[in-house]
């Protein structure tokens, strides 16, 4: 994956948004106009974290391959080798979606 070469700085997190489904559960093809942008993504890379006022490194809340819940707006869109990614700050990510 090309994005593995990009290492985010400070408390930045590189996320690849999940694609919305193109078929319904019953197998009906969904038109593009009814497909909305999902607020879920997979963490591709994380920065080392930010430092507090004393210079201590604050740990990141996510790690690569975590499935996360994203805000509807925000982030910086990045395209690497025709793949779309979004850079968020660690504090902007709403939560980690846990597998059952």
């Amino acid at each position: 994956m090309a994005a593995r070469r990009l290492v985010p700085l400070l408390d930045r997190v590189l996320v690849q948004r999940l694609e919305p489904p193109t078929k319904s559960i019953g197998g009906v093809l969904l038109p593009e106009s009814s497909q909305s942008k999902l607020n879920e993504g997979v963490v591709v890379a994380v920065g080392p974290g930010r430092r507090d006022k004393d210079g201590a490194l604050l740990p990141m809340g996510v790690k690569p391959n975590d499935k996360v819940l994203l805000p509807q707006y925000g982030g910086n869109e990045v395209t690497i080798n025709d793949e779309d990614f979004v850079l968020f700050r660690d504090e902007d990510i709403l939560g980690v979606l846990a597998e059952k």
Side-chain angles (χ1 to χ4, degrees):
M1 178 179 278
R4 296 282 182 205
R5 289 184 271 157
L6 177 67
V7 178
L9 298 176
L10 301 174
D11 63 339
R12 301 289 198 287
V13 179
L14 185 67
V15 177
Q16 187 167 31
R17 285 190 187 268
L18 296 178
E19 296 295 321
T22 57
K23 283 187 179 182
S24 69
I25 295 173
V28 176
L29 291 174
L30 300 172
E32 283 189 32
S33 60
S34 70
Q35 297 174 8
S36 61
K37 187 168 62 171
L38 291 179
N39 290 349
E40 297 177 16
V42 176
V43 175
V44 177
V46 297
R50 66 183 170 103
R51 299 202 177 264
D52 64 7
K53 64 180 180 178
D54 298 326
L57 191 64
L58 299 173
M60 297 292 283
V62 295
K63 59 187 182 305
N65 297 322
D66 277 352
K67 192 173 180 182
V68 293
L69 184 63
L70 304 170
Q72 186 172 2
Y73 301 104
N76 297 316
E77 295 185 7
V78 178
T79 301
I80 303 170
N81 291 347
D82 297 328
E83 289 186 81
D84 294 326
F85 300 94
V86 186
L87 270 171
F88 288 97
R89 287 187 180 273
D90 185 45
E91 62 194 27
D92 292 339
I93 293 178
L94 302 175
V96 177
L97 300 171
E99 298 293 326
K100 289 184 179 181

